[in-house]
Amino acid sequence: MRLQTFIPGIIIQKVPYTADLMYQVGKLGGQFDKCLSDFTHPAFTQSGSRWYFSGIPTVMDFIGSVKDPEKAAVIKSIIQAYHHEVEPNLSKLSQGVIHGDMNEQNTLVVCEDEALLKYKVTAFIDFGDSHYAPYVWEISMMMAYMMLDSKVLDPITAAGHVLAGYLSEIKLNAIEMDVLKTCMAARLAQSITYGAHTYEQNPTNNYVLTTAKTGWQMLLKLWQTPKEELYKQWREIIASYEI
């Protein structure tokens, strides 16, 4: 028997994304990671799911499930970039216990004023992927997933507000900021590829295709946007919060 506390709210995917809401997502994510910054336990350092960022190098083992040659080529270019830009710098990335899956279906909100599109982020759920890992993996994952259902805000802008919220709690060093785009793209590539492979093995499992619904569009938008342009936009958003 387990006793659990009921947390009211609906998943963020069901409400319009505003700049304020995205900032709240990032800030609560940063607070979560900050609270666990001095927490350690052997269970969180053991090798785990291939869905962890540490499993990204194995994405190429499943690339055959991406049937479109052009899309497969995009996935390959992203994984190669991750291999060259991120993996050599792993020792320089600050780490701690992270949630590991702060996505659009694991983030709860409550309505404060529906007419004004005002919602409050109340909680993250599903701690099954929590593990000891770099913080840049956490924030890049949050930014990537919040792009997927951003219809009110431009998805790139939405990601910038998530980043601003996170940085209000946890700072990223220069290397972490530099690999942010590649980490975001790698996470989407990982999710899309693993999802396609899992669906290939079990066509009744439609859940694994969730990211792919808008994921390809968002992945291409992210990957094809010049890094300088992307970071300029994000720096302007961050500066607007005087962080």
Side-chain angles (χ1 to χ4, degrees), residues 210-228:
T210 301
T211 300
K213 291 177 182 177
T214 57
W216 275 114
Q217 179 184 352
M218 294 300 106
L219 179 57
L220 292 175
K221 181 179 180 68
L222 173 68
W223 198 238
Q224 293 172 357
T225 301
K227 188 174 182 179
E228 296 76 16

Side-chain angles (χ1 to χ4, degrees), residues 26-176:
K27 188 172 185 65
L28 187 60
Q31 290 173 339
F32 178 95
D33 289 345
K34 183 187 287 186
C35 285
L36 294 177
S37 61
D38 58 356
F39 171 76
T40 58
H41 189 282
F44 290 89
T45 58
Q46 297 173 1
S47 59
S49 169
R50 74 182 187 197
W51 286 88
Y52 291 180
F53 257 89
S54 57
I56 284 177
T58 69
V59 168
M60 296 307 298
D61 296 337
F62 304 94
I63 196 67
S65 298
V66 180
K67 304 305 182 183
D68 186 317
E70 292 184 4
K71 290 180 176 179
V74 171
I75 297 293
K76 289 177 183 177
S77 69
I78 292 170
I79 301 306
Q80 287 172 354
Y82 185 87
H83 175 69
H84 292 296
E85 299 172 21
V86 182
E87 290 182 339
N89 288 304
L90 287 176
S91 64
K92 301 172 185 176
L93 307 179
S94 53
Q95 303 188 41
V97 173
I98 65 172
H99 178 282
D101 199 16
M102 290 177 177
N103 63 38
E104 74 284 4
Q105 298 186 71
N106 287 337
T107 306
L108 298 185
V109 301
V110 294
C111 181
E112 294 187 322
D113 191 323
E114 189 171 1
L116 296 176
L117 301 182
K118 189 170 180 58
Y119 292 85
K120 180 180 180 181
V121 178
T122 55
F124 296 111
I125 59 175
D126 187 358
F127 296 86
D129 287 320
S130 296
H131 61 292
Y132 190 83
Y135 291 126
V136 71
W137 289 359
E138 182 92 290
I139 180 55
S140 60
M141 197 181 311
M142 295 169 66
M143 293 169 70
Y145 282 130
M146 289 304 143
M147 287 179 63
L148 298 181
D149 290 286
S150 185
K151 302 177 181 66
V152 176
L153 281 181
D154 173 79
I156 297 295
T157 301
H161 287 284
V162 175
L163 176 59
Y166 193 83
L167 292 178
S168 71
E169 297 293 334
I170 290 185
K171 305 304 179 186
L172 299 180
N173 63 40
I175 294 175
E176 290 164 339

